[in-house]
Amino acid sequence: FEEPKLKSSKFSEDPKKSIPSTQNKSFEPNTGFYFLPFGGIALADEIEWTVLGEIASIEAKEGYSLGASFGYRWKYFYLEERISHIKTNFKLSEKTGISDPINGEASNLTFHQSIGLNFNFNSWFGLQIGGGAGICQKDILITSVNGLSIINDKEDDWVFSYDGTVGIFFQPGG
């Protein structure tokens, strides 16, 4: 008596090849549309600025950045739109002619379009590097320590702005 042999398209007759293997399968990172709210620290360098006809050195402090981005992610590239609000405080560290120390705050509302590169370490973790350009509306308020408003400059027009981004992404469902 001879047993009938079954033919299968999924498994071969070799027992070593009968179990599907995922070891040689290359990973595919998540692609498609996304929406990402974000928050971060805004850093600024010390700059020189003309205030009341004199050059002043501005010492910026850390601030914050809040916003959201939405876009499309391909395997190696991404394209996104971003809206953000950035606010930081500063003080004038060297100003002649004014005896009181001067403090201030600057805030920006920006709309940017960005493009960048994805460096995928595996299917769920990687690095993104990109840059963007768009428009910005600024608001600067400078006050003396005793609370007197010296300059309240709110820009009515939108101006050109740009930025650079570096980020780490984590997609546990990848």
Side-chain angles (χ1 to χ4, degrees), residues 125-140:
F125 181 71
L127 177 71
Q128 289 183 319
I129 298 175
I135 56 175
C136 173
Q137 187 176 44
K138 69 177 180 76
D139 187 10
I140 297 175

Side-chain angles (χ1 to χ4, degrees), residues 3-21:
E3 289 187 41
K5 292 185 179 180
L6 298 174
K7 292 186 178 180
S8 172
S9 61
K10 292 184 181 177
F11 303 105
S12 71
E13 293 178 349
D14 185 353
K16 292 180 181 176
K17 294 182 181 178
S18 64
I19 300 172
S21 173

